[in-house]
């Protein structure tokens, strides 16, 4: 639950910003965002340690799964879910 709370605190920084504004944060705001990202990372690391999950291995596995589900040449520029693409 703390992880969800930290993710919410991160999102608050971007809630009313455009994509361009989000990409051009002022130094002070960027530092606040960095701290929220660090909080999230620390919670993920602690949770993965407690569950015995290798985060790097899990991320690599998930990337491989997504490459199969969402081939770049088929989905680039399209936000549909995996089962929604025509064959």
């Amino acid at each position: 639950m703390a992880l969800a709370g930290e993710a919410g605190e991160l999102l608050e920084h971007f809630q009313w910003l455009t994509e361009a504004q989000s990409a051009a944060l002022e130094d002070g705001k960027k530092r606040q965002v960095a701290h929220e990202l660090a909080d999230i990372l620390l919670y993920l690391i602690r949770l993965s340690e407690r569950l015995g999950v290798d985060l790097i291995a899990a991320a690599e596995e998930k990337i491989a799964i997504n490459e199969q589900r969402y081939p770049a040449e088929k989905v680039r520029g399209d936000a549909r879910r995996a089962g929604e693409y025509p064959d």
Side-chain angles (χ1 to χ4, degrees), residues 42-61:
L42 293 170
Y43 275 115
L44 283 174
I45 291 169
R46 289 177 61 196
L47 180 59
S48 68
E49 287 175 347
R50 293 211 174 168
L51 297 176
V53 172
D54 179 337
L55 277 178
I56 301 300
E60 289 171 345
E61 181 179 350

Side-chain angles (χ1 to χ4, degrees), residues 31-48:
R31 186 166 188 221
Q32 292 173 357
V33 166
H35 290 165
E36 297 302 342
L37 288 167
D39 287 341
I40 291 166
L41 176 63
L42 293 170
Y43 275 115
L44 283 174
I45 291 169
R46 289 177 61 196
L47 180 59
S48 68

Side-chain angles (χ1 to χ4, degrees), residues 5 35 67 80:
H35 290 165
E67 285 175 343
R80 289 180 282 184

